[in-house]
Amino acid sequence: MEIDKRWMRHALTQAKHAAEHNEVPVGAVVVLGDEVIGEGYNQPLGTHDPTAHAEIVALRDAARTLGNYRLVGTTLYVTLEPCLMCAGAIIQARVERVVFGAFDKKSGAVGSTANLLQSPLANHQCQITAGVLGDECAELLDRFFVELRAGNQDASSAGF
């Protein structure tokens, strides 16, 4: 569990980068053995790319690092429960394990609204560990949205 917390803290650092760019603060890292091979943060607004979720950015980075889109034996750490799109990409990449922080009760596809990563309909299943540093991950998201609702269009000023 300590190793999961270590890597989730790294993912939280990525999430803070997203907030600094006025993106929803979600961060992700892909780990193979004891090495980060990919990392990313949410950036769909800045890139005008609906697929630029933290998980997708990190998976792309890891695939470039390995020179292969199959990420066999890897663990993906992400601060928010993956959505359906990201869960699909995780399956396609053959990620072995997914560790996430905060649950996404509205669109989480790894236990909240669905569990695509362990569905018998999918051609690959992942191990899942949920709630690692969940309070810290949720608090970062909550603070971001409080700033946004307060009319602060530049949410990065909230001290992320």
Side-chain angles (χ1 to χ4, degrees):
M1 188 63 146
E2 278 309 308
I3 194 76
D4 287 346
K5 288 180 182 178
R6 171 184 169 203
W7 294 121
M8 188 60 71
R9 285 186 190 95
H10 190 108
L12 276 164
T13 299
Q14 290 295 310
K16 291 173 185 175
H17 292 316
E20 291 165 359
H21 291 92
N22 295 311
E23 301 273 4
V24 175
V26 178
V29 294
V30 180
V31 175
L32 180 60
D34 194 35
E35 180 182 349
V36 173
I37 60 166
E39 56 189 13
Y41 57 85
N42 262 9
Q43 40 192 302
L45 298 174
T47 61
H48 309 290
D49 179 355
T51 69
H53 288 196
E55 300 94 313
I56 302 291
V57 174
L59 291 172
R60 287 176 178 156
D61 191 32
R64 278 190 298 273
T65 298
L66 293 182
N68 191 339
Y69 77 101
R70 297 284 195 216
L71 304 177
V72 176
T74 61
T75 299
L76 171 70
Y77 293 86
V78 60
T79 58
L80 181 65
E81 179 182 358
C83 69
L84 283 167
M85 175 184 70
C86 293
I90 291 163
I91 290 168
Q92 292 303 313
R94 303 300 193 267
V95 171
E96 182 176 317
R97 183 168 174 246
V98 173
V99 179
F100 70 88
F103 284 88
D104 183 348
K105 299 293 183 192
K106 290 183 181 178
S107 58
V110 185
S112 288
T113 63
N115 187 349
L116 190 59
L117 297 185
Q118 294 180 329
S119 171
L121 300 173
N123 61 350
H124 173 75
Q125 285 80 38
C126 302
Q127 299 169 28
I128 299 168
T129 302
V132 174
L133 300 181
D135 291 341
E136 290 177 47
C137 295
E139 199 264 312
L140 181 63
L141 286 158
D142 291 345
R143 192 173 64 206
F144 177 84
F145 286 112
V146 164
E147 286 292 318
L148 211 56
R149 285 187 209 102
N152 182 356
Q153 293 304 320
D154 184 7
S156 65
S157 67
F160 297 103

